[in-house]
Amino acid sequence: MKMKKTCCLVLALVLALGLLSACGGEGGPTNTPAPEFAYVAKYTELEGEFEGMNNACFAGGRIYFMSSVQDGEITESYVSYDENGNPILDENGEPVMEEYTYPNYVTALFSMNADGSDLKRVGSYAPTAIPEGAQGGSWVSAFTAAPDGRLIVAENVSYSTGSGEPGAATGSDLEVAPLSVDVPVTSDAPDVGEFTYVEKYLLRVFDQQGNETASIDLSQFNENEEEYFYMSGMVADGDRGICVSVGNELLGISFEGELLYRIPAGEGIDGFMSLVNLSDGSAAVLAYANDYSEIKLLSVDAETGKLVDNEVGFDRSVYRVYPFGGDYDFGYNKGESFFGFDADTGKETKLLTWINCDVDGNNLSGVFPQENGDIVCLSSEYSSSGDGTITYFITLKKTPYDQVPQKTTLSLACVYLGYDIKNQILDFNRKSSDYRIEVRDYSEFNTEDDYSAGYTKLITEIGSGAVPDIMLTDGLPIET
């Protein structure tokens, strides 16, 4: 409590000094040099038969993404109950059944040009079917593209069969039911009375027209019959094939299903955060190290079957890693800002702050740089009117700052920005023609060694006269 009060007094003092400095007109926020350029957002609503989007990637000059489309309806029957919770019976003593009908949605593959034009459904992709009468389904867990344009879909297939008690067969005692990827259902499922649970991961390879060229069952690589054999990430590894993270191993698999390499995490590595591609198309991994206190960039050496430490570390504030390209190997979020990373120099560059471009960075499915310096994004947002999901193609136009329509700007400082406040700021900025709120989230300056580094920087800047117009006290040692 004493420390908290001390911090409050320090912050109050620097606020007072900062206000005096700002009023004097020297060193205040209005004297901050204008940037060379800014990104101006243009929103285009994408219309089509799909609902939302996810797992976007770029290949052969086109953007590909997975979405849901309606495929007929499902009707289910259930017993009617009275207000006392008793089943309602007909004159023959049989339960009165009611029907409930709802839309049936399935996953589909779409593509469009890099400018958002020529949006169309690709091929006849459909999720892997499960045996007739089984409970469960299949879900897309990852989606990526190879340099030659091949598309790779990772599916998690999970289902149970039989009416026996769950747990009757577990672990290595599981009887794996036959699973076909070529026909809707299988006819040789296990006996109805025997409970069987199946979970597996499939890698399905398609050409750019959506024609399936291979289906690879990852369970064949579970040499030690591990009970928890799960896939957590996937990228293409150049033209060699596919790199997947399974538990604490990386598996290299050719596009035809041949095992190319198996690389364990190794000493000092606690787990894998995210697989990425470097600028040459090769695979690398962001890995947790030193008791999860830092993130390291490790290159995959397919020839030697080893991980190579790039001697580059990241703090734990990095999240939402995207393939990026252009001048950078990949991009990622820190706080409300987006950074590009150059593996050759080991340096990151702050490219933009999402909310200051009128974009919610948490809703993005893909981020793609263009040769002219623009950035295009795909975003799905829930309609405020309750009409479901609206999908946007967003062009962030790189514009000289003196050509950006000027508004009266209010600066807002915070250490982490909550969901509700973020939405209110986005709504205000999009609607106001005269004013806008510029956000600076100081949490991006926090490090693993100093979780209060952002707060310290905020105090230092206020003390030097850079006083924000608005300051959120959430997360700050201020008693309100």
Side-chain angles (χ1 to χ4, degrees), residues 125-141:
Y125 168 82
T128 298
I130 62 175
E132 185 176 8
Q135 299 296 315
S138 56
W139 300 268
V140 175
S141 56

Side-chain angles (χ1 to χ4, degrees), residues 37-184:
F37 61 87
Y39 288 99
V40 179
K42 177 185 176 183
Y43 277 74
T44 302
E45 183 176 344
L46 295 177
E47 298 181 353
E49 57 180 315
F50 55 88
E51 179 76 14
M53 66 166 57
N54 51 57
N55 295 305
C57 66
F58 188 83
R62 294 184 68 85
I63 296 172
Y64 292 81
F65 63 90
M66 311 298 289
S67 186
S68 297
V69 298
Q70 185 172 347
D71 182 25
E73 296 180 330
I74 295 176
T75 300
E76 294 184 350
S77 299
Y78 58 94
V79 177
S80 298
Y81 292 87
D82 61 23
E83 62 274 11
N84 297 317
N86 300 314
I88 300 174
L89 306 179
D90 61 18
E91 61 274 14
N92 298 318
E94 298 294 329
V96 174
M97 306 298 292
E98 293 189 21
E99 288 188 346
Y100 173 61
T101 300
Y102 56 93
N104 178 44
Y105 284 95
V106 298
T107 304
L109 175 62
F110 291 83
S111 81
M112 59 185 168
N113 289 327
D115 61 1
S117 63
D118 192 32
L119 173 61
K120 60 185 179 182
R121 187 169 178 175
V122 179
S124 55
Y125 168 82
T128 298
I130 62 175
E132 185 176 8
Q135 299 296 315
S138 56
W139 300 268
V140 175
S141 56
F143 177 50
T144 192
D148 62 4
R150 276 183 275 202
L151 306 171
I152 306 105
V153 180
E155 290 183 349
N156 176 205
V157 183
S158 174
Y159 64 88
S160 61
T161 61
S163 56
E165 289 295 324
T170 60
S172 59
D173 296 328
L174 285 178
E175 179 181 342
V176 179
L179 181 65
S180 171
V181 298
D182 299 317
V183 297

Side-chain angles (χ1 to χ4, degrees), residues 431-449:
K431 291 179 179 179
S432 177
S433 57
D434 299 316
Y435 300 92
R436 69 176 291 104
I437 297 172
E438 292 279 342
V439 174
R440 189 167 197 193
D441 182 356
Y442 284 80
S443 68
E444 70 182 55
F445 300 105
N446 290 346
T447 67
E448 291 303 317
D449 297 327

Side-chain angles (χ1 to χ4, degrees), residues 405-410 428-437:
Q406 298 301 306
K407 299 180 181 181
T408 301
T409 301
L410 301 174
F428 176 83
N429 285 344
R430 290 172 182 176
K431 291 179 179 179
S432 177
S433 57
D434 299 316
Y435 300 92
R436 69 176 291 104
I437 297 172

Side-chain angles (χ1 to χ4, degrees), residues 198-227:
V198 175
E199 182 168 22
K200 60 175 65 180
Y201 291 92
L202 299 178
L203 299 182
R204 301 176 62 188
V205 184
F206 298 82
D207 62 24
Q208 289 191 3
Q209 289 70 47
N211 302 309
E212 188 167 6
T213 59
S215 179
I216 306 164
D217 185 349
L218 289 183
S219 62
Q220 65 183 295
F221 305 116
N222 186 11
E223 293 181 344
N224 298 322
E225 297 185 356
E226 298 286 346
E227 182 176 356

